Short mmCIF file of all heavy atoms in Angstrom, two decimals:
data_model
loop_
_atom_site.label_atom_id
_atom_site.label_comp_id
_atom_site.label_asym_id
_atom_site.label_seq_id
_atom_site.Cartn_x
_atom_site.Cartn_y
_atom_site.Cartn_z
N ALA A 1 6.66 75.66 -76.93
CA ALA A 1 6.33 76.10 -78.29
C ALA A 1 5.08 76.98 -78.29
O ALA A 1 5.03 78.02 -78.97
CB ALA A 1 6.14 74.89 -79.20
N ALA A 2 4.07 76.57 -77.53
CA ALA A 2 2.84 77.37 -77.45
C ALA A 2 3.14 78.76 -76.87
O ALA A 2 2.62 79.78 -77.34
CB ALA A 2 1.80 76.66 -76.60
N TYR A 3 3.99 78.80 -75.85
CA TYR A 3 4.37 80.06 -75.24
C TYR A 3 5.01 80.99 -76.26
O TYR A 3 4.69 82.19 -76.34
CB TYR A 3 5.32 79.80 -74.07
CG TYR A 3 5.86 81.05 -73.42
CD1 TYR A 3 5.15 81.70 -72.41
CD2 TYR A 3 7.09 81.60 -73.81
CE1 TYR A 3 5.64 82.85 -71.81
CE2 TYR A 3 7.58 82.75 -73.21
CZ TYR A 3 6.86 83.37 -72.23
OH TYR A 3 7.34 84.52 -71.63
N GLU A 4 5.91 80.45 -77.06
CA GLU A 4 6.59 81.26 -78.07
C GLU A 4 5.61 81.81 -79.11
O GLU A 4 5.78 82.91 -79.62
CB GLU A 4 7.69 80.45 -78.75
CG GLU A 4 8.92 80.20 -77.89
CD GLU A 4 9.67 81.49 -77.57
OE1 GLU A 4 9.60 82.44 -78.37
OE2 GLU A 4 10.34 81.53 -76.52
N ILE A 5 4.59 81.03 -79.43
CA ILE A 5 3.55 81.54 -80.33
C ILE A 5 2.81 82.70 -79.67
O ILE A 5 2.60 83.76 -80.27
CB ILE A 5 2.55 80.42 -80.70
CG1 ILE A 5 3.23 79.33 -81.52
CG2 ILE A 5 1.37 81.01 -81.50
CD1 ILE A 5 2.36 78.10 -81.76
N LEU A 6 2.43 82.51 -78.42
CA LEU A 6 1.61 83.50 -77.71
C LEU A 6 2.32 84.83 -77.51
O LEU A 6 1.65 85.88 -77.44
CB LEU A 6 1.17 82.94 -76.36
CG LEU A 6 0.21 81.74 -76.39
CD1 LEU A 6 -0.01 81.19 -75.00
CD2 LEU A 6 -1.12 82.13 -77.04
N ILE A 7 3.63 84.82 -77.40
CA ILE A 7 4.35 86.09 -77.18
C ILE A 7 4.74 86.76 -78.50
O ILE A 7 5.32 87.84 -78.49
CB ILE A 7 5.60 85.89 -76.30
CG1 ILE A 7 6.65 85.04 -77.01
CG2 ILE A 7 5.22 85.29 -74.95
CD1 ILE A 7 7.98 84.95 -76.25
N THR A 8 4.42 86.14 -79.62
CA THR A 8 4.71 86.71 -80.93
C THR A 8 3.57 87.64 -81.35
O THR A 8 2.40 87.30 -81.17
CB THR A 8 4.86 85.59 -81.98
OG1 THR A 8 5.91 84.70 -81.57
CG2 THR A 8 5.20 86.17 -83.35
N PRO A 9 3.89 88.83 -81.89
CA PRO A 9 2.82 89.69 -82.40
C PRO A 9 1.93 88.95 -83.38
O PRO A 9 2.41 88.30 -84.31
CB PRO A 9 3.59 90.83 -83.09
CG PRO A 9 4.89 90.90 -82.34
CD PRO A 9 5.22 89.46 -82.00
N ALA A 10 0.63 89.01 -83.15
CA ALA A 10 -0.33 88.20 -83.91
C ALA A 10 -0.19 88.38 -85.41
O ALA A 10 -0.30 87.42 -86.18
CB ALA A 10 -1.75 88.53 -83.46
N LYS A 11 0.05 89.59 -85.87
CA LYS A 11 0.12 89.86 -87.30
C LYS A 11 1.38 89.27 -87.95
O LYS A 11 1.45 89.17 -89.17
CB LYS A 11 0.03 91.36 -87.55
CG LYS A 11 -1.34 91.94 -87.22
CD LYS A 11 -1.43 93.41 -87.54
CE LYS A 11 -2.81 93.96 -87.22
NZ LYS A 11 -2.94 95.41 -87.53
N GLN A 12 2.33 88.87 -87.12
CA GLN A 12 3.58 88.32 -87.65
C GLN A 12 3.54 86.80 -87.80
O GLN A 12 4.43 86.21 -88.41
CB GLN A 12 4.76 88.71 -86.75
CG GLN A 12 5.06 90.18 -86.73
CD GLN A 12 6.25 90.52 -85.85
OE1 GLN A 12 7.02 89.64 -85.43
NE2 GLN A 12 6.40 91.80 -85.53
N LEU A 13 2.53 86.16 -87.23
CA LEU A 13 2.50 84.69 -87.25
C LEU A 13 1.05 84.21 -87.29
O LEU A 13 0.37 84.18 -86.27
CB LEU A 13 3.21 84.13 -86.01
CG LEU A 13 3.31 82.60 -85.91
CD1 LEU A 13 4.23 82.05 -87.00
CD2 LEU A 13 3.84 82.19 -84.54
N THR A 14 0.60 83.82 -88.46
CA THR A 14 -0.76 83.31 -88.57
C THR A 14 -0.90 82.41 -89.78
O THR A 14 -0.14 82.52 -90.75
CB THR A 14 -1.79 84.46 -88.63
OG1 THR A 14 -3.12 83.93 -88.48
CG2 THR A 14 -1.70 85.23 -89.93
N GLY A 15 -1.84 81.47 -89.70
CA GLY A 15 -2.08 80.54 -90.80
C GLY A 15 -1.01 79.49 -90.97
O GLY A 15 -0.91 78.87 -92.02
N GLN A 16 -0.22 79.26 -89.91
CA GLN A 16 0.88 78.31 -89.99
C GLN A 16 0.53 76.98 -89.31
O GLN A 16 -0.22 76.95 -88.33
CB GLN A 16 2.14 78.89 -89.33
CG GLN A 16 2.60 80.20 -89.94
CD GLN A 16 2.96 80.06 -91.40
OE1 GLN A 16 3.79 79.23 -91.77
NE2 GLN A 16 2.33 80.87 -92.24
N THR A 17 1.10 75.90 -89.83
CA THR A 17 0.99 74.58 -89.18
C THR A 17 2.38 74.25 -88.66
O THR A 17 3.24 73.81 -89.40
CB THR A 17 0.48 73.52 -90.17
OG1 THR A 17 1.31 73.53 -91.34
CG2 THR A 17 -0.95 73.81 -90.58
N LEU A 18 2.57 74.51 -87.38
CA LEU A 18 3.89 74.47 -86.77
C LEU A 18 4.17 73.13 -86.10
O LEU A 18 3.30 72.55 -85.45
CB LEU A 18 4.02 75.60 -85.75
CG LEU A 18 3.72 77.01 -86.30
CD1 LEU A 18 3.60 78.01 -85.16
CD2 LEU A 18 4.81 77.45 -87.27
N ILE A 19 5.41 72.69 -86.21
CA ILE A 19 5.90 71.51 -85.50
C ILE A 19 6.72 72.00 -84.31
O ILE A 19 7.60 72.87 -84.47
CB ILE A 19 6.77 70.62 -86.41
CG1 ILE A 19 5.96 70.13 -87.61
CG2 ILE A 19 7.34 69.44 -85.63
CD1 ILE A 19 4.82 69.20 -87.26
N ASP A 20 6.46 71.47 -83.13
CA ASP A 20 7.08 72.00 -81.90
C ASP A 20 8.59 72.15 -82.00
O ASP A 20 9.15 73.23 -81.78
CB ASP A 20 6.68 71.15 -80.68
CG ASP A 20 7.05 69.67 -80.79
OD1 ASP A 20 7.57 69.23 -81.84
OD2 ASP A 20 6.81 68.94 -79.81
N GLU A 21 9.29 71.08 -82.36
CA GLU A 21 10.75 71.11 -82.41
C GLU A 21 11.26 72.11 -83.45
O GLU A 21 12.17 72.91 -83.17
CB GLU A 21 11.29 69.71 -82.72
CG GLU A 21 12.80 69.63 -82.81
CD GLU A 21 13.30 68.23 -83.11
OE1 GLU A 21 12.71 67.26 -82.56
OE2 GLU A 21 14.26 68.10 -83.88
N ASP A 22 10.69 72.07 -84.64
CA ASP A 22 11.13 72.95 -85.71
C ASP A 22 10.92 74.41 -85.34
O ASP A 22 11.78 75.27 -85.59
CB ASP A 22 10.39 72.63 -87.01
CG ASP A 22 10.63 71.20 -87.47
OD1 ASP A 22 11.48 70.51 -86.89
OD2 ASP A 22 9.94 70.76 -88.40
N PHE A 23 9.78 74.70 -84.74
CA PHE A 23 9.48 76.09 -84.36
C PHE A 23 10.41 76.57 -83.26
O PHE A 23 10.91 77.70 -83.30
CB PHE A 23 8.02 76.20 -83.93
CG PHE A 23 7.60 77.59 -83.56
CD1 PHE A 23 7.67 78.62 -84.48
CD2 PHE A 23 7.14 77.87 -82.28
CE1 PHE A 23 7.28 79.92 -84.14
CE2 PHE A 23 6.76 79.15 -81.93
CZ PHE A 23 6.82 80.18 -82.87
N LEU A 24 10.66 75.71 -82.26
CA LEU A 24 11.55 76.11 -81.18
C LEU A 24 12.98 76.34 -81.66
O LEU A 24 13.69 77.19 -81.13
CB LEU A 24 11.52 75.06 -80.06
CG LEU A 24 10.25 75.07 -79.20
CD1 LEU A 24 10.23 73.87 -78.26
CD2 LEU A 24 10.11 76.37 -78.42
N LYS A 25 13.38 75.60 -82.68
CA LYS A 25 14.72 75.84 -83.26
C LYS A 25 14.83 77.26 -83.81
O LYS A 25 15.87 77.90 -83.70
CB LYS A 25 15.00 74.82 -84.36
CG LYS A 25 15.37 73.44 -83.85
CD LYS A 25 15.61 72.47 -85.00
CE LYS A 25 16.00 71.09 -84.49
NZ LYS A 25 16.16 70.11 -85.61
N THR A 26 13.73 77.75 -84.39
CA THR A 26 13.76 79.11 -84.93
C THR A 26 13.82 80.14 -83.81
O THR A 26 14.15 81.31 -84.06
CB THR A 26 12.53 79.41 -85.80
OG1 THR A 26 11.35 79.50 -84.99
CG2 THR A 26 12.36 78.35 -86.88
N ARG A 27 13.50 79.73 -82.60
CA ARG A 27 13.54 80.62 -81.44
C ARG A 27 14.80 80.40 -80.60
O ARG A 27 14.88 80.86 -79.45
CB ARG A 27 12.29 80.44 -80.59
CG ARG A 27 10.99 80.78 -81.34
CD ARG A 27 11.07 82.18 -81.95
NE ARG A 27 9.97 82.50 -82.83
CZ ARG A 27 8.91 83.22 -82.47
NH1 ARG A 27 8.81 83.68 -81.23
NH2 ARG A 27 7.96 83.50 -83.33
N GLY A 28 15.76 79.67 -81.15
CA GLY A 28 17.06 79.54 -80.50
C GLY A 28 17.24 78.34 -79.60
O GLY A 28 18.29 78.18 -78.97
N VAL A 29 16.24 77.47 -79.50
CA VAL A 29 16.37 76.29 -78.65
C VAL A 29 17.25 75.25 -79.36
O VAL A 29 17.02 74.93 -80.53
CB VAL A 29 15.00 75.68 -78.32
CG1 VAL A 29 15.15 74.41 -77.48
CG2 VAL A 29 14.14 76.71 -77.59
N LYS A 30 18.25 74.74 -78.66
CA LYS A 30 19.16 73.75 -79.24
C LYS A 30 19.15 72.43 -78.48
O LYS A 30 19.45 71.38 -79.06
CB LYS A 30 20.58 74.33 -79.26
CG LYS A 30 20.73 75.57 -80.14
CD LYS A 30 22.14 76.12 -80.11
CE LYS A 30 22.26 77.35 -81.00
NZ LYS A 30 23.64 77.92 -80.95
N ASP A 31 18.85 72.47 -77.21
CA ASP A 31 18.89 71.26 -76.38
C ASP A 31 17.50 70.64 -76.30
O ASP A 31 16.63 71.09 -75.55
CB ASP A 31 19.38 71.62 -74.96
CG ASP A 31 19.34 70.42 -74.02
OD1 ASP A 31 19.30 69.28 -74.52
OD2 ASP A 31 19.33 70.64 -72.80
N PHE A 32 17.30 69.58 -77.08
CA PHE A 32 16.00 68.91 -77.05
C PHE A 32 16.02 67.66 -76.18
O PHE A 32 14.97 67.08 -75.90
CB PHE A 32 15.54 68.60 -78.48
CG PHE A 32 15.16 69.84 -79.23
CD1 PHE A 32 16.09 70.50 -80.02
CD2 PHE A 32 13.90 70.38 -79.11
CE1 PHE A 32 15.76 71.67 -80.69
CE2 PHE A 32 13.55 71.56 -79.76
CZ PHE A 32 14.49 72.20 -80.55
N ALA A 33 17.21 67.27 -75.72
CA ALA A 33 17.30 66.15 -74.79
C ALA A 33 16.61 66.48 -73.47
O ALA A 33 16.16 65.58 -72.76
CB ALA A 33 18.76 65.78 -74.55
#
């Protein structure tokens, strides 16, 4: 999840309180097992 934040353009993602699983779902991750 941290990696996905770091590779996102800074101006596109700021001031957010992100939950790891929820954020990774928005990046296409489906297998959490």
Side-chain angles (χ1 to χ4, degrees):
Y3 176 85
E4 287 294 333
I5 295 171
L6 294 173
I7 66 173
T8 301
K11 292 183 179 180
Q12 293 181 14
L13 182 67
T14 191
Q16 302 299 305
T17 53
L18 305 169
I19 299 294
D20 58 357
E21 179 180 321
D22 300 351
F23 182 61
L24 286 172
K25 284 179 179 177
T26 70
R27 299 307 172 99
V29 177
K30 297 179 180 179
D31 176 20
F32 290 93

